[in-house]
Amino acid sequence: MVALTFSMLERLAIIVSIAFVATRLPLFKQLINQQAINGRQRVIFTILFGLFGIIGTYTALTVDTNALTYSRYTLTLQHDQALANSRVIGVVLAGLLGGLGPGLGAGLIAGVHRYFLGGFTAFACGFSAIVAGLLAGLVHRRLKRHHPLSIKSALITGAAAETVQMSIILLLARPFDQALDLVVQIGIPMIVANGLGSALFVVIIRNVRSEEEKSGALQAQKALRLADLTIRHLREGLNETTGKKTCEILLKETHASAVALTNQTHIIAHVGLADDHHRAQDPIQTAATKDVIQTGQLMIVSKQDIQCDKPDCPLGAAVIAPLNIRETTVGTLKFYYRSNRQINTVAIELVKGLSVLLGQQLEIAESEKYIKLARESEIKALQAQISPHFLFNALNTIVSLVRTDPDKARRLLISLSRYIRQNVTTTHREQESLREELNHVKAYLEIEEARFADQFTVYYHVDEAALNTTVPPLTLQPLVENAIKHGLKPLPDHGMLTIVISHEQTWVKIAIVDNGVGMDATLKSQLLRAPADSKNSTGIGLYNVNRRLVMTYGEKSRLHIDSHTGEGTTFYFYIPAGGSIQ
């Protein structure tokens, strides 16, 4: 019995080998991490552990009950022969990991196979394999409700399943005396070996899970540390300077050969190998990068997919991950390697995690820009309240009308009061209705029309139903001010300013149209790209308006400028018709 026990324990090396291979399978990892599997995966899992049970049968010791001898490995059994085997381990693990269905399925596969090998215990052993799967499945169901699979539960279930098999052999195998002799010889060794084998399998599973958790924790720690190092740069937004500093940090802290950042159209920065021909400001050439920007999905590419026009380029593979802001892909993060062999699961997960963290940092940077723009808007509004130039001009106009046209002077004074009051109240709001915004503009225009009598006329084409729609405060006034100062004032003769507010399906269109001097293409392209340098220009206002519209409503609401020299200018934008102040 002792010799048989040691021989059975020797076979646990086979269990270790199979367990090691199995734990590397993606399907098996899903089960280890207690993730749900679909029907097809469940069938594959059942077959794999059924085969595991068959291997346990073929690696058994053949027991001759008449001669009381043992031999290794056999393909068929004589009537007086039986097997001391580890078949139960595969069946028990199928039930413990997969549940009742896989347990019964694996037991049926291993049991039917055992039945056709023959021997006087053929039916008893085949039937006991199915019972072992049932038992393990029931244990799985109970463990799932209360606590996860443990080494102790695997040890007890494996030993219990083998004990049940010994009992079934005594009940069903004939002749009984021969069955009894067999159980006496192999019972304890098989109970001990199969219990330990099941427990050993779980030990390996737990070690694999522990290694993965440790590796995941290290990668998460590394990603967070890199995020902390790069956040001070990305807070300033994604540009050539911040992009280069970010790439330098990522390259230093990882095993990549090169790191690059792009926006939707151009390379922002490239640090590392091949930086002599992969340069900032170059347009994106790689089709895979364009696909990532379009789909928002990470891609792994080989040398031919990098599409470098330099035949001796050392970059042989890359991981390209999207950079997302509010579910919109604004660029990519690219890690380059010399060959595909350097790209492993750890590297992919690191790039994926970093792209998410960098995207969040860019989103925070955009939010901070929005706050800054809002503050600039408040400052500009406060300046407008106390602007001596505007206030003195308005008061001088009113004073000159007091004797000649007292009624008009009174109306202008009311307009000035309304204009100043509106400036004060809007600095504390995030949104106001188009009706309030239009009234503010009308108050401003009444003063300007009085100052520049007969120089321009204002027309309104307004859909009353659209006036409850909300906009950020001081959105229209900078556009109107720009139209008057830079479009209409330089005209030698009478000008026209038209304000249009209309419904277009689910959007409201706002347009400010003048027939003034217009502007050339260069100035038009610069106005919305960055604040103007000139202190006398309203470019800061236009840039501010555009950024606030995009930040609030998205790209659909971007400010558009339609203008040609000598042909007037139209500013227009769209806002969603849904939001309103009742």
Side-chain angles (χ1 to χ4, degrees), residues 316-317 337-345:
Y337 301 88
R338 288 184 177 274
S339 70
N340 289 88
R341 291 191 299 273
Q342 294 179 276
I343 301 176
N344 53 34
T345 305

Side-chain angles (χ1 to χ4, degrees), residues 237-547:
L238 192 57
N239 54 52
E240 187 173 344
T241 301
T242 62
K244 183 178 180 181
K245 291 178 180 177
T246 300
C247 288
E248 287 173 347
I249 292 170
L250 297 179
L251 181 65
K252 181 181 178 181
E253 298 291 332
T254 63
H255 298 294
S257 300
V259 179
L261 283 167
T262 76
N263 57 23
Q264 293 179 326
T265 57
H266 290 77
I267 298 172
I268 294 175
H270 180 105
V271 176
L273 287 181
D275 59 0
D276 59 327
H277 58 278
H278 288 257
R279 291 183 292 266
Q281 300 305 320
D282 286 351
I284 294 173
Q285 300 292 337
T286 310
T289 305
K290 296 176 182 178
D291 289 341
V292 171
I293 293 171
Q294 186 171 0
T295 64
Q297 300 295 319
L298 180 143
M299 290 185 67
I300 301 170
V301 298
S302 54
K303 187 175 182 65
Q304 61 268 26
D305 296 318
I306 294 175
Q307 297 177 324
C308 182
D309 55 6
K310 298 285 185 180
D312 58 344
C313 179
L315 303 178
V319 180
I320 308 173
L323 293 174
N324 296 322
I325 297 179
R326 297 185 186 88
E327 299 181 357
T328 300
T329 302
V330 298
T332 63
L333 171 65
K334 305 170 75 172
F335 275 61
Y336 288 100
Y337 301 88
R338 288 184 177 274
S339 70
N340 289 88
R341 291 191 299 273
Q342 294 179 276
I343 301 176
N344 53 34
T345 305
V346 174
I348 295 170
E349 290 301 319
L350 178 61
V351 176
K352 189 184 297 183
L354 283 172
S355 70
V356 172
L357 289 172
L358 295 185
Q360 291 173 345
Q361 290 178 6
L362 290 174
E363 190 168 332
I364 292 170
E366 286 291 315
S367 299
E368 289 179 349
K369 281 184 181 179
Y370 177 77
I371 293 171
K372 184 178 179 181
L373 288 168
R375 288 174 180 168
E376 289 175 357
S377 175
E378 292 177 5
I379 293 170
K380 193 169 180 64
L382 290 170
Q383 289 173 339
Q385 295 172 35
I386 59 175
S387 170
H389 183 72
F390 176 82
L391 184 61
F392 289 161
N393 284 337
L395 290 175
N396 286 335
T397 302
I398 292 170
V399 168
S400 67
L401 290 171
V402 166
R403 292 185 179 181
T404 59
D405 193 345
D407 289 336
K408 188 173 183 180
R410 183 175 58 83
R411 289 195 304 272
L412 288 180
L413 195 59
I414 293 172
S415 295
L416 179 61
S417 173
R418 187 190 312 135
Y419 177 82
I420 294 175
R421 186 183 302 111
Q422 186 76 2
N423 270 14
V424 172
T425 58
T426 55
T427 59
H428 305 292
R429 298 180 185 174
E430 294 182 0
Q431 294 277 314
E432 66 177 6
S433 69
L434 271 175
R435 188 182 306 278
E436 292 172 311
E437 189 76 352
L438 185 61
N439 288 337
H440 183 240
V441 169
K442 285 181 177 179
Y444 171 78
L445 287 173
E446 285 174 6
I447 297 168
E448 291 298 278
E449 282 184 287
R451 286 181 58 210
F452 303 98
D454 301 323
Q455 190 167 345
F456 65 91
T457 304
V458 182
Y459 299 92
Y460 298 93
H461 299 289
V462 177
D463 183 350
E464 286 290 322
L467 292 183
N468 283 332
T469 302
T470 59
V471 292
L474 297 175
T475 299
L476 299 186
Q477 194 269 341
L479 305 181
V480 172
E481 181 181 350
N482 186 86
I484 293 173
K485 287 186 176 181
H486 301 284
L488 299 180
K489 279 185 181 179
L491 280 179
D493 49 10
H494 196 76
M496 291 185 297
L497 178 70
T498 305
I499 298 175
V500 181
I501 301 176
S502 60
H503 263 296
E504 291 191 5
Q505 297 179 347
T506 59
W507 296 84
V508 172
K509 180 180 180 180
I510 296 97
I512 310 296
V513 184
D514 69 70
N515 67 338
V517 297
M519 66 184 79
D520 59 33
T522 302
L523 178 60
K524 183 172 66 174
S525 65
Q526 291 175 350
L527 279 177
L528 303 182
R529 188 178 299 172
D533 293 329
S534 174
K535 293 183 179 179
N536 297 322
S537 172
T538 57
I540 294 177
L542 297 180
Y543 175 79
N544 193 352
V545 168
N546 181 56
R547 291 295 296 166

Side-chain angles (χ1 to χ4, degrees), residues 15-38 40-50 52-53 89-99 102 106 140 149 154 197-209 212:
I15 305 300
V16 173
S17 301
I18 295 174
F20 179 81
V21 173
T23 51
R24 267 55 188 173
L25 298 175
L27 173 61
F28 204 85
K29 288 183 178 180
Q30 283 184 257
L31 289 165
I32 290 175
N33 296 319
Q34 298 179 334
Q35 298 175 4
I37 59 175
N38 58 37
R40 178 175 174 274
Q41 290 173 319
R42 191 172 294 274
V43 170
I44 294 172
F45 176 80
T46 301
I47 293 173
L48 284 175
F49 275 86
F52 186 9
I89 296 176
V91 177
V92 165
L93 266 297
L96 289 178
L97 292 173
H140 167 86
L149 179 62
S198 300
L200 184 59
F201 203 113
V202 173
V203 169
I204 294 171
I205 289 174
R206 290 167 69 94
N207 286 340
V208 169
R209 183 186 295 175
E212 290 189 345

